[in-house]
Amino acid sequence: MNTTLQLTLDESNVLESVYGRQIDGLSGYNPRKLEAIEDLTAQEKKFFTDKNFVSPYFFVQTLYKVRGSVSPIKFTLAVNQMLRENESLRANFCNLGTRTVKVIRPAPLVKPEIIFRNLTQKNKEELDADFMKIFEADMRREVDLRHDPLIRFAVYRTSSEDFAVLVTMAQLISGNFEAEKFFCSVLDIPYESKPKQSTEELPPKNQEAIIDYWTKILDKAPPTAVLPYEKKGEGAYRQRVFVTRIHADFLSDLRELAQSNRLMLTAILQSAWGFMLQLVNKRRDC
């Protein structure tokens, strides 16, 4: 296992409790073997600060329309090749109590979900409705940043020559996914590498001034809301009952609004969660 980080005894113990004792191949087998432990990049650290405006649990969905033949075997091989070449796409993140580190899993041990489904029997209206349901269900899925692959795929055949490929990945690693290169590999199309532009080369030219402006504005923002009964540094929460009272007039208005949108239970739960965060954090807005 490669690491340039200096880990304290407590941090090493946390890592061992999460990933097991790291042993070489001759001494035994560990399904949670780590290839490397790395410090977070400047971009990754933004997701784990007290003022993280984008949660590390935020996932993005992109639906690609592909014309041609998408073979399940070739698609799986392309995914495996991409993971071998890009270690950031097989990264996980572990809270050691005082900081979060990035751990890299060996490519053969990372098995992102790949679903293949035939939708050729659906018409356009049915496809649109099905995809909306698929997107919503996909985004409701839970993920463990310490263990689960942070990218997954779903391939839908929509006609004899058309495919839709849904790529869902954590915003945390999305900058490392090269869609053009990946689909060239899937379709056996030659790929020409293009140099990446730095932020200074992108319009507008006053990038530095813009970044400086927003840094000053966001620096005054309040810290992330504290969760009830959160134990700082351990990343675990205890389940308890939180009792509060909602004024009858407000509850009546809430019921009327919820019923008109057929979202009564959801609206009440979301409002209760908001009230709880306001009271715990002693703030008007959370």
Side-chain angles (χ1 to χ4, degrees):
M1 179 178 64
N2 298 322
T3 179
T4 57
L5 294 179
Q6 294 295 325
L7 300 175
T8 66
L9 178 60
D10 288 341
E11 290 176 333
S12 298
N13 290 337
V14 171
L15 275 175
E16 184 170 329
S17 69
V18 175
Y19 299 105
R21 188 164 63 92
Q22 298 301 303
I23 52 181
D24 58 47
L26 299 177
S27 303
Y29 173 71
N30 180 358
R32 294 180 176 176
K33 180 178 177 61
L34 303 179
E35 183 177 286
I37 303 172
E38 302 175 359
D39 196 6
L40 303 182
T41 65
Q43 181 65 23
E44 291 165 346
K45 287 180 180 178
K46 295 178 182 178
F47 289 84
F48 294 96
T49 62
D50 290 337
K51 298 178 180 179
N52 54 329
F53 294 96
V54 180
S55 166
Y57 291 91
F58 180 72
F59 272 61
V60 293
Q61 295 173 315
T62 308
L63 185 67
Y64 297 93
K65 184 175 181 180
V66 180
R67 168 125 335 157
S69 176
V70 178
S71 161
I73 294 178
K74 286 185 177 180
F75 192 92
T76 303
L77 290 175
V79 170
N80 293 338
Q81 178 182 344
M82 177 180 65
L83 293 178
R84 286 195 302 271
E85 295 175 352
N86 194 332
E87 68 173 26
S88 295
L89 294 178
R90 43 188 165 92
N92 286 108
F93 298 85
C94 184
N95 184 347
L96 300 182
T98 56
R99 58 174 170 169
T100 297
V101 297
K102 177 166 63 176
V103 297
I104 307 299
R105 305 284 303 281
L109 297 183
V110 180
K111 304 294 183 184
E113 180 182 88
I114 306 175
I115 295 174
F116 297 94
R117 185 177 170 189
N118 186 5
L119 298 179
T120 55
Q121 73 279 12
K122 304 280 187 177
N123 60 39
K124 185 179 183 305
E125 289 72 21
E126 291 174 327
L127 279 176
D128 290 342
D130 278 1
F131 278 132
M132 288 301 298
K133 294 177 182 178
I134 289 169
F135 296 161
E136 292 173 2
D138 184 61
M139 289 301 281
R140 287 196 298 267
R141 295 177 56 177
E142 296 181 357
V143 66
D144 185 346
L145 293 179
R146 301 172 302 172
H147 300 294
D148 297 337
L150 302 184
I151 185 171
R152 56 181 179 263
F153 305 86
V155 183
Y156 303 96
R157 184 173 186 172
T158 56
S159 72
S160 59
E161 295 183 351
D162 291 317
F163 289 80
V165 180
L166 176 63
V167 181
T168 305
M169 73 185 87
Q171 179 73 45
L172 194 53
I173 65 168
S174 61
N176 299 291
F177 177 67
E178 298 179 77
E180 184 179 350
K181 180 179 180 181
F182 172 70
F183 284 107
C184 283
S185 178
V186 171
L187 300 172
D188 284 332
I189 299 174
Y191 171 73
E192 295 183 7
S193 180
K194 301 174 183 176
K196 291 185 177 181
Q197 289 181 298
S198 65
T199 54
E200 288 76 14
E201 296 173 327
L202 298 174
K205 297 300 183 181
N206 56 339
Q207 286 286 323
E208 186 175 342
I210 293 175
I211 293 174
D212 182 62
Y213 169 80
W214 282 109
T215 299
K216 292 178 180 178
I217 292 295
L218 297 179
D219 187 58
K220 300 176 182 178
T224 305
V226 176
L227 296 176
Y229 305 108
E230 178 179 359
K231 294 186 287 185
K232 187 174 181 180
E234 297 185 17
Y237 313 109
R238 293 172 288 175
Q239 183 177 1
R240 292 190 181 180
V241 175
F242 188 92
V243 180
T244 188
R245 297 181 182 275
I246 301 176
H247 195 277
D249 292 341
F250 182 83
L251 186 59
S252 176
D253 292 341
L254 181 61
R255 283 201 184 99
E256 182 178 348
L257 179 63
Q259 288 175 349
S260 65
N261 291 277
R262 299 181 181 180
L263 292 172
M264 181 176 179
L265 180 60
T266 303
I268 290 179
L269 289 175
Q270 289 176 341
S271 299
W273 177 249
F275 280 132
M276 181 169 62
L277 291 181
Q278 288 179 12
L279 292 171
V280 169
N281 291 274
K282 299 179 180 179
R283 285 159 51 180
R284 292 188 176 184
D285 186 22
C286 285

